[in-house]
Amino acid sequence: MGAVVKYVIAGLVRYWLIHTDFWHTLSNRVEIATPLNSWKRLIEGVYLYDQNINPYEGDAFHESPIVLVIFHYLLKHVPYSLPFIFSAMDLLTAYLLYKTSRGFVRIFLNCQEKYLSDVSQESKDMVMTESQLKETSEYVLSVYLFNPYSILNCVGMTTTVLQNMLLAAALCGAAHGYVIISCAFLAFATHQALYPVLLIVPTAMILAEVNKGCNKCSYIKTLLAFVLSWSFVVYISAFIMDGSYNYVYNTYGFILTVPDLKPNIGLFWYFFTEMFEHFRLLFVCAFQINALILYIVPLTLRFKKEPILLVTVLLALSTVFRSYPCVGDVGFYMAFIPMWKHLFTFMQQKFIVACAFIITSALGPTVWHLWIYSGSANANFFFGVTLSFATAQIFLITDLLFAYIKREYTLKNGSSRTIDGKPAKLVLR
């Protein structure tokens, strides 16, 4: 199937589903819409802003002021083109991911060439060729375009569609060595959802690799560009709100303190519903440290030679542990999994993970209906499904990391196993 045909089919599917009778139902599903990205809340915020009422004074709107102004203009001047705009943004995201993966292939080949001398003679056939790696870009494109999670996210017209486009643009800029472009888009994505701030570390590593500047000055330059871009975006948002920074509490503060406990596919809502209020601050800090800080240093130190793998893992971990995740976040990082198809032979839980994704994706809406509409289930049932869904994602991440380590060991030491010069064998007693 040609690339143009893929874009056309994927675009038509999205555009058609937005115009079906199921659109309203999909746009309000807890798996798709959250208090942060909901189309319904965005409409309410735009209406309040149009009436000269500060949308951040209540508890309904939590998007950034820049997004508020953008959609205020679109809803006022071109409301009927919004389905097309959302479909186009999602297709643009797919294209940017395709270009990103092409850039990542070049980085991977350069990194592989550096350590080619360390590969054992027995494992030479495991070295990836350029043709093998380039075909992964087609898989990345197809996985994003036809992933049900990505399609539902677009059909629900959530602002995660915009966030995914910004992240794809930032990674694409990094893969091609554009420091300012990459940092600017990453700052915008961070301003919208906060958790993309994790990607500044692998982004700096990728830019240093592409621009052949693996030194402290290169990293400082990237960090400075990101901080300045983020500061500029924050200032523009304050300017939109007539110089007030009060919106920060209803954007960043809302993400960090998790006051809205409406169920979603994440882990926060159930824990904070069940716990005693005087323990709330402790657990908020523990959960947010886990999502924002805990993994960045050890993973960076261990996979400093593989910034692309670091991007994939950090995207996945931030999706699992963020306060208000949705299927659009899952669909975005899953598009990078085909980049690691050379690790699939070393992965041991592919079938289990695939079955878990399918089963939990089907059980989620079922259990929600039993809980909310039939009254024959309760919150424990739905949380059990979301917990299983998160566990499946963790299994996918750990299996991918272990597969990389196994392949790395095999490349250096070969695949044969000997003890005292004799073939090793496993004996069960």
Side-chain angles (χ1 to χ4, degrees), residues 53-302:
I53 301 173
N54 187 351
Y56 297 103
E57 289 182 351
D59 193 39
F61 186 72
H62 307 287
E63 267 292 353
S64 71
I66 298 177
V67 174
L68 173 66
V69 170
I70 290 172
F71 280 96
H72 176 262
Y73 177 84
L74 292 176
L75 284 166
K76 196 169 185 179
H77 294 89
V78 286
Y80 296 106
S81 64
L82 282 168
F84 173 79
I85 291 173
F86 272 92
S87 301
M89 282 196 297
D90 219 32
L91 295 184
L92 179 58
T93 301
Y95 175 74
L96 290 171
L97 288 175
Y98 172 78
K99 298 297 289 185
T100 300
S101 63
R102 295 296 293 268
F104 283 175
V105 165
R106 291 196 299 271
I107 297 171
F108 187 88
L109 287 171
N110 291 335
C111 292
Q112 182 178 256
E113 191 174 345
K114 290 180 184 178
Y115 305 104
L116 202 58
S117 58
D118 297 333
V119 178
S120 68
Q121 189 64 35
E122 186 183 356
S123 302
K124 291 288 185 182
D125 59 335
M126 291 175 56
V127 175
M128 299 298 295
T129 63
E130 186 173 356
S131 59
Q132 288 175 317
L133 285 170
K134 280 190 173 180
E135 68 181 10
T136 60
S137 298
E138 298 293 336
Y139 296 140
V140 168
L141 178 64
S142 300
V143 167
Y144 187 82
L145 286 176
F146 300 108
N147 190 328
Y149 298 143
S150 302
I151 294 173
L152 290 173
N153 179 58
C154 180
V155 173
M157 294 174 66
T158 68
T159 54
T160 303
V161 175
L162 175 61
Q163 180 193 327
N164 288 346
M165 186 183 71
L166 294 172
L167 286 174
L171 293 174
C172 185
H176 293 85
Y178 301 119
V179 178
I180 302 300
I181 292 176
S182 177
C183 291
F185 280 111
L186 184 58
F188 195 176
T190 301
H191 184 59
Q192 186 184 4
L194 187 60
Y195 293 99
V197 70
L198 289 170
L199 297 182
I200 186 57
V201 175
T203 298
M205 295 165 64
I206 292 170
L207 286 167
E209 178 68 30
V210 173
N211 295 324
K212 308 299 181 184
C214 295
N215 52 57
K216 292 182 180 178
C217 291
S218 175
Y219 296 126
I220 292 173
K221 179 182 176 182
T222 301
L223 181 60
L224 184 61
F226 172 74
V227 171
L228 290 176
S229 300
W230 194 3
S231 301
F232 178 73
V233 173
V234 171
Y235 172 77
I236 291 297
S237 296
F239 177 78
I240 292 170
M241 302 310 297
D242 298 324
S244 173
Y245 288 88
N246 292 335
Y247 75 90
V248 172
Y249 179 77
N250 257 346
T251 52
Y252 298 153
F254 183 81
I255 294 170
L256 291 174
T257 59
V258 203
D260 193 322
L261 299 180
K262 181 180 178 180
N264 53 58
I265 62 171
L267 304 174
F268 277 70
W269 67 273
Y270 186 83
F271 281 97
F272 289 103
T273 300
E274 295 295 323
M275 75 169 56
F276 294 110
E277 190 63 26
H278 54 273
F279 289 124
R280 181 179 177 83
L281 180 60
L282 170 66
F283 279 88
V284 163
C285 293
F287 271 60
Q288 296 295 2
I289 288 172
N290 185 65
L292 286 167
I293 301 173
L294 189 62
Y295 303 103
I296 186 70
V297 174
L299 287 174
T300 301
L301 293 175
R302 178 59 184 86

Side-chain angles (χ1 to χ4, degrees), residues 15 41 48 83 161 252 265 323:
Y15 190 77
R41 291 185 180 234
L48 292 173
V161 175
Y252 298 153
I265 62 171
S323 50

